[in-house]
Amino acid sequence: MPNVVVCIWNIQNYGSSSPKYNGLPGSASNAMRNAFITAFIQQNNIDVLLIQEVSSTPQAALTDLRNKLNHPLPAGSKDWKVSWCACAVAHSDTDTVTSEDDLIFMTGARTEGYAVVWRDNQAARFDMLQGLNQIASGTVPAGNSPLNISLFGRPTDNNTLGGGPEKFGATGGYLPANNFPYQADAHGVYGLMDHWPKLNYPPTSTYDVLGVQWHKSRRPAYVVLKLNDGHDTLCPVAAYHAPSNATRASWGAFMSGLAREVYATNGLAAGVPTAATTVPLTKFVFGGDFNHSVDQADWPGDYAYMNANHAQQFTGGAQTTQAPDHTAADTARRTTVQLMTGAAHDTPIISADPNDYLRHKIDLAFFPRTAPQVITAQRINLPTVLTGAGGAAYAGCLTATDAFMAHVAGAVAAPDTRFAAVTGPEKRHRKRNHGGGFVYQWSPIISGAWGGTFVNWATTRAQFGAGAVTDARRAAEYYHIFVSDHLPLVATIPV
């Protein structure tokens, strides 16, 4: 039986012009990290990649990624495409999003969007449907984008948010007697409800701590696959990047289980999605960075709507399975990579166990809990892959990284740059002092998020230069610094 393999991955600051992602100053191609992503896609036979945390100007990076993916394919089979869009509804009075002008990248203090990378000539297994409306900021090569933004959800009763005083009819107050998506007519026959109300999401900034809102809050983006299984089954694949604030993130996790894309999707007319009809789903994948931990003692907690069984009452849910599994061991549920530990997050980890570099349990994939189970998903522990037999696929990426590090080290010149034995090249920069005036401090030129740096520059260079990572710290350094801090989620959909 053929499969379609999809990946949902939060790649930090994707499209950023930082030299550490590009390998060249003044470039915005993300060439170094794209080499790693390409190797990962090839190693795992990915057909569709949804990226979260995309910058507002990612065209150079996405075009470079597309070129790298197409390069080894024979003529006539170079079918990789890319498209990207903003993440939030721009205006509170925009009930339906019909163009890119209805969306914004900026939510609170963050500028983020989504991108999809997919194979477009795989008709024997699947077709990627064009979006219901053309909301993308760009598509390469030019043409219809498959991206959609999640707008509507099923209704609920009032629910308390995050244990606080606020209550919400999660969809804006639409509370019919039978508020599950399947509603009975006068003869007791159930069909999809004819009205899907607005689904608000929590804001990402602090100006409205307890509220939920329609606009300026990150919401899921999704594409729809038509599986060529003899039934033309429609399968949405959605990614969501919840607010980073823990309290608001829990609301996002709570409401994501109400999103229409886990219950129904737009039907087709002449092969094109239409707003006139919706069809029930038997397959979907909904995942992302929920920023809310899957702790065994609290499950399902704020993922209740995703996890609860189908039911007519407001407490009914989407009846999904999650990956990583909440019953698994703690290390198997962690989905982000860290380099530092300690109360102030300033103590380098130097363990030989790659699992010791894993942290939060916040990236999840959800899919229908049916019998027999037809979709499977997993978190890919790439630091472990890098130190094992699978690491050979990344040898070229490592040597390219070493060449960039050598270039940076060779460019060090006093007095504003220096070379440190542990962290490597450092640059002195001026920083405003809280008490007024300025102070100077040294910071690594090549560094990861949250202050992560190298603990042994020479050993790191040697392993990268040899094209093989042989210890856990170097794997975590490479992954965390040059790719992102989130692990990818991969789902396999039988056709």
Side-chain angles (χ1 to χ4, degrees):
M1 177 182 292
N3 296 318
V4 179
V5 183
V6 302
C7 177
I8 298 170
W9 200 355
N10 184 337
I11 302 177
Q12 191 175 56
N13 302 323
Y14 187 84
S16 166
S17 61
S18 169
K20 72 179 182 182
Y21 299 137
N22 304 319
L24 293 171
S27 169
S29 67
N30 281 208
M32 285 174 54
R33 63 166 26 165
N34 281 342
F36 185 95
I37 296 167
T38 298
F40 170 82
I41 288 173
Q42 293 169 341
Q43 186 179 47
N44 292 277
N45 298 311
I46 304 297
D47 296 298
V48 179
L49 168 66
L50 278 174
I51 306 175
Q52 302 143 234
E53 214 170 314
V54 174
S55 77
S56 59
T57 54
Q59 180 170 347
L62 287 168
T63 299
D64 177 77
L65 177 58
R66 173 180 177 265
N67 291 339
K68 283 180 165 60
L69 290 167
N70 275 330
H71 177 73
L73 299 177
S77 299
K78 299 179 185 295
D79 63 340
W80 284 98
K81 291 188 175 182
V82 297
S83 189
W84 64 98
C85 70
C87 66
V89 179
H91 308 290
S92 60
D93 57 354
T94 305
D95 284 351
T96 55
V97 172
T98 59
S99 75
E100 65 171 302
D101 294 333
D102 294 327
L103 296 177
I104 55 171
F105 282 87
M106 174 68 74
T107 60
R110 303 292 297 274
T111 299
E112 295 174 352
Y114 296 99
V116 60
V117 184
W118 79 99
R119 299 204 70 176
D120 193 51
N121 188 21
Q122 303 296 313
R125 297 180 295 133
F126 76 98
D127 290 304
M128 178 73 82
L129 298 182
Q130 72 178 52
L132 184 64
N133 296 288
Q134 290 302 297
I135 64 169
S137 299
T139 303
V140 177
N144 288 325
S145 170
L147 285 164
N148 300 278
I149 204 77
S150 181
L151 299 173
F152 302 104
R154 75 172 186 83
T156 70
D157 204 342
N158 287 335
N159 290 273
T160 301
L161 285 175
E166 286 284 315
K167 290 188 176 182
F168 72 110
T171 53
Y174 176 64
L175 304 172
N178 293 318
N179 50 21
F180 189 70
Y182 305 95
Q183 295 184 17
D185 61 18
H187 304 287
V189 177
Y190 284 90
L192 282 175
M193 62 186 190
D194 58 8
H195 176 65
W196 295 82
K198 280 189 190 182
L199 183 59
N200 297 316
Y201 277 89
T204 56
S205 61
T206 58
Y207 69 87
D208 187 3
V209 177
L210 293 176
V212 292
Q213 60 190 39
W214 174 252
H215 67 301
K216 295 183 179 178
S217 57
R218 290 194 295 256
R219 54 183 56 243
Y222 69 97
V223 297
V224 180
L225 314 181
K226 181 168 71 70
L227 304 178
N228 291 326
D229 55 0
H231 307 287
D232 287 343
T233 301
L234 300 184
C235 178
V237 181
Y240 177 46
H241 187 192
S244 298
N245 177 283
T247 300
R248 288 188 290 278
S250 71
W251 307 351
F254 198 71
M255 284 178 279
S256 61
L258 299 170
R260 195 184 73 168
E261 291 71 44
V262 299
Y263 298 97
T265 192
N266 293 96
L268 299 179
V272 178
T274 172
T277 60
T278 53
V279 296
L281 294 175
T282 58
K283 293 182 180 179
F284 66 85
V285 179
F286 191 113
D289 170 13
F290 289 88
N291 273 310
H292 191 62
S293 187
V294 183
D295 291 314
Q296 290 169 323
D298 298 333
W299 184 263
D302 290 308
Y303 293 98
Y305 281 127
M306 279 288 190
N307 188 255
N309 291 335
H310 288 149
Q312 286 291 312
Q313 62 269 27
F314 74 88
T315 54
Q319 198 173 12
T320 64
T321 294
Q322 78 285 344
D325 191 335
H326 72 283
T327 62
D330 185 72
T331 53
R333 289 180 288 116
R334 298 175 188 163
T335 59
T336 63
V337 180
Q338 63 178 344
L339 295 173
M340 317 291 277
T341 188
H345 204 64
D346 57 358
T347 304
I349 303 170
I350 54 173
S351 168
D353 183 353
N355 287 322
D356 290 343
Y357 296 87
L358 302 184
R359 196 179 185 198
H360 298 299
K361 305 176 283 289
I362 57 179
D363 295 82
L364 287 168
F366 294 94
F367 44 96
R369 187 168 69 245
T370 57
Q373 183 59 255
V374 294
I375 296 177
T376 57
Q378 61 178 320
R379 169 213 71 173
I380 305 294
N381 188 341
L382 272 170
T384 297
V385 172
L386 282 168
T387 57
Y394 303 93
C397 311
L398 290 162
T399 55
T401 300
D402 173 64
F404 169 68
M405 294 164 73
H407 167 77
V408 173
V412 169
D416 292 322
T417 56
R418 70 182 185 184
F419 186 83
V422 174
T423 60
E426 293 185 337
K427 184 178 182 64
R428 186 176 68 164
H429 61 94
R430 194 171 70 160
K431 182 179 180 181
R432 184 178 294 276
N433 194 327
H434 291 299
F438 295 89
V439 296
Y440 285 89
Q441 67 179 32
W442 292 93
S443 298
I445 295 175
I446 305 174
S447 65
W450 314 112
T453 62
F454 302 101
V455 296
N456 188 310
W457 172 262
T459 301
T460 300
R461 284 284 317 277
Q463 292 192 10
F464 287 9
V469 181
T470 58
D471 65 82
R473 175 70 197 193
R474 309 316 149 203
E477 285 175 343
Y478 180 79
Y479 185 83
H480 197 273
I481 292 170
F482 293 103
V483 180
S484 90
D485 59 333
H486 290 264
L487 297 178
L489 303 165
V490 173
T492 301
I493 307 166
V495 177

